[in-house]
Amino acid sequence: GAVVSQHPSRVICKSGTSVKIECRSLDFQATTMFWYRQFPKQSLMLMATSNEGSKATYEQGVEKDKFLINHASLTLSTLTVTSAHPEDSSFYICSASGAGGVSYNEQFFGPGTRLTVL
Amino acid sequence: GQNIDQPTEMTATEGAIVQINCTYQTSGFNGLFWYQQHAGEAPTFLSYNVLDGLEEKGRFSSFLSRSKGYSYLLLKELQMKDSASYLCAVMTGTYKYIFGTGTRLKVLA
């Protein structure tokens, strides 16, 4: 149980284009979904938190107009990187809570999406 | 501010025991998680501590002292496949995770 998927696993795009990444909770309803970014040899940095049907809450320093998050249902959240630039190249990981677990609000992680902007 | 510190890199020998430390200062505390992460993959859950003391699970154990803001992950009988990054994450008062800097462990034959 508590499986989270992401699509695509890898994407390469040209500078200036937009890229959409999907995050799905496959066997539970996710009350909250989280988006992280991880640069090489660094840890996970939380970008934003989203609840179904409401606007995402962005962490300080994350541009909400550049990283659009939509949480339209209890099983799907999308992250769109608009007008991507090479510095946006990173590993993007989503997580979801709402399935219980060892702790209330434990997060279950997706497999990640490797974005490369040329 | 929120701060979680871990050593950047550690090296150990196959069959040995290694302890990875994590110190934290966060706004609120709802538990501490340890994750293993291989390069290019998502973090994999290892352990969770919310009360002081030691939690043991096979070759892995995790310890927490809330008064000291301190945790460690103990790996016994190291295997080559244990070479990975180990991430300490604190669930804060608002149920967000704050991740530590991560420790890259290299296991040598």
Side-chain angles (χ1 to χ4, degrees):
Chain A
V3 178
V4 176
S5 70
Q6 273 184 251
H7 178 79
S9 57
R10 290 178 179 270
V11 58
I12 301 172
C13 69
K14 292 182 179 179
S15 187
T17 60
S18 294
V19 174
K20 181 185 282 188
I21 302 170
E22 290 187 350
C23 177
R24 292 181 185 273
S25 57
L26 298 185
D27 52 3
F28 66 100
Q29 293 187 324
T31 50
T32 306
M33 285 184 165
F34 304 84
W35 287 95
Y36 295 86
R37 181 167 52 181
Q38 185 176 33
F39 292 108
K41 296 190 176 181
Q42 294 186 24
S43 193
L44 278 71
M45 296 297 294
L46 180 66
M47 299 175 68
T49 304
S50 75
N51 295 292
E52 183 262 343
S54 59
K55 289 185 179 180
T57 302
Y58 291 79
E59 295 299 300
Q60 195 171 7
V62 178
E63 300 173 59
K64 59 183 177 183
D65 293 333
K66 180 169 183 62
F67 299 99
L68 301 178
I69 293 172
N70 185 289
H71 193 160
S73 77
L74 281 171
T75 59
L76 173 64
S77 177
T78 59
L79 168 69
T80 301
V81 183
T82 62
S83 186
H85 288 99
E87 57 265 31
D88 299 322
S89 297
S90 188
F91 192 49
Y92 292 85
I93 303 176
C94 74
S95 69
S97 63
V102 296
S103 163
Y104 177 76
N105 275 349
E106 179 183 353
Q107 294 180 28
F108 298 91
F109 289 86
T113 297
R114 172 74 58 194
L115 171 63
T116 303
V117 185
L118 302 176
Chain B
Q2 322 249 49
N3 198 45
I4 302 179
D5 285 322
Q6 301 177 235
T8 304
E9 291 187 350
M10 298 183 74
T11 303
T13 307
E14 195 174 18
I17 298 173
V18 70
Q19 177 175 312
I20 302 174
N21 296 324
C22 170
T23 57
Y24 64 90
Q25 286 181 301
T26 59
S27 303
F29 180 84
N30 277 306
L32 187 146
F33 292 80
W34 282 96
Y35 288 89
Q36 181 191 62
Q37 187 182 29
H38 287 99
E41 299 180 11
T44 303
F45 171 81
L46 291 178
S47 70
Y48 170 71
N49 295 71
V50 67
L51 300 176
D52 289 353
L54 187 69
E55 293 282 341
E56 297 185 83
K57 191 189 289 186
R59 294 191 299 116
F60 296 80
S61 303
S62 57
F63 172 83
L64 175 67
S65 168
R66 288 171 298 171
S67 62
K68 294 182 179 177
Y70 168 70
S71 174
Y72 68 73
L73 178 71
L74 194 71
L75 293 79
K76 302 176 187 175
E77 301 169 16
L78 279 174
Q79 301 175 11
M80 299 298 288
K81 67 178 182 179
D82 297 328
S83 292
S85 288
Y86 291 86
L87 308 176
C88 165
V90 171
M91 183 188 283
T92 67
T94 56
Y95 299 103
K96 292 181 185 178
Y97 284 18
I98 304 295
F99 278 88
T101 47
T103 300
R104 286 192 300 279
L105 174 66
K106 190 179 295 185
V107 180
L108 304 176

